[in-house]
Amino acid sequence: MISTSIRVALSALFFAGALALAATGAAQAQQAPSVMKQCGDEWKAAKANNTTNGMTWPQFLSQCRTQKEGAATPAAAPSPAPAPAAAPAAAPAPAPAAAPAPAPAPAPVQTYQPKPAPVHTAAAATGAGQFATEAQAKTRCPSDTVVWVNTKSHVYHYAGTRGYGTTKQGAYMCEADATAAGDRASKSRIGQPKQQP
């Protein structure tokens, strides 16, 4: 069993520790808004002067916080100096004081870069009525339907269907030229009238 005096002493110790943690947390909470306010003011000034260097607010804030906290950390909590070692009598000169360590460089900010749109390689005009753009095909056959021909599978797709202009290999052609070249229509013909057998 623990005696009453030890219990009281332990309770007082825990209470003092809790107060110290609460005071430290309150000091840090007061510091955070000031850093945020400082960074916000700097952002507004940089934006007004067009000196943001293409950074967005989150990027600027991250860099600003790193700089502010890096500058505040050495002053708020200096690292204790190492205890002097017993120096031999032959070395009377004290060692020079170490220069303060520079603040760490801010971490590079990674920005979101979307993947480029897939590139559809259109077949070059081979003289067989294949065109790179829909407009070129329409000038060739103004009265005929323009279709997208998958040059690998030899299946053509009508405008408005899922495969129109989206296959990896293909070209725009007049429907008459496509059928003459031996290509066949896709079986999914959205927006096209159904053929009666």
Side-chain angles (χ1 to χ4, degrees):
M1 284 220 39
I2 300 176
S3 68
T4 306
S5 61
I6 293 176
R7 285 184 188 171
V8 171
L10 285 174
S11 297
L13 181 64
F14 285 134
F15 184 70
L19 282 177
L21 284 175
T24 304
Q28 288 177 350
Q30 289 175 353
Q31 179 188 8
S34 66
V35 169
M36 183 74 165
K37 181 167 178 17
Q38 290 173 357
C39 291
D41 292 341
E42 288 179 21
W43 169 255
K44 288 176 186 174
K47 199 169 177 188
N49 296 331
N50 290 328
T51 57
T52 59
N53 298 329
M55 284 194 287
T56 61
W57 163 244
Q59 295 167 341
F60 185 87
L61 179 62
S62 175
Q63 180 182 4
C64 181
R65 278 186 176 167
T66 304
Q67 290 173 348
K68 299 286 183 201
E69 292 171 359
T73 302
S79 59
V109 178
Q110 293 183 348
T111 58
Y112 171 74
Q113 298 199 2
K115 291 182 180 179
V119 177
H120 302 294
T121 56
T126 60
Q130 296 180 351
F131 300 96
T133 66
E134 186 176 13
Q136 291 173 342
K138 283 185 180 180
T139 58
R140 164 84 161 77
C141 51
S143 61
D144 195 10
T145 305
V146 175
V147 295
W148 172 262
V149 178
N150 182 332
T151 56
K152 187 173 182 181
S153 67
H154 298 287
V155 173
Y156 61 87
H157 304 272
Y158 292 98
T161 62
R162 187 175 51 132
Y164 186 76
T166 60
T167 60
K168 289 182 181 179
Q169 297 175 356
Y172 292 99
M173 293 180 72
C174 302
E175 185 176 16
D177 292 342
T179 53
D183 301 322
R184 67 171 180 83
S186 170
K187 292 181 181 174
S188 63
R189 308 172 99 207
I190 299 173
Q192 296 294 323
K194 290 185 178 181
Q195 294 179 347
Q196 298 294 332

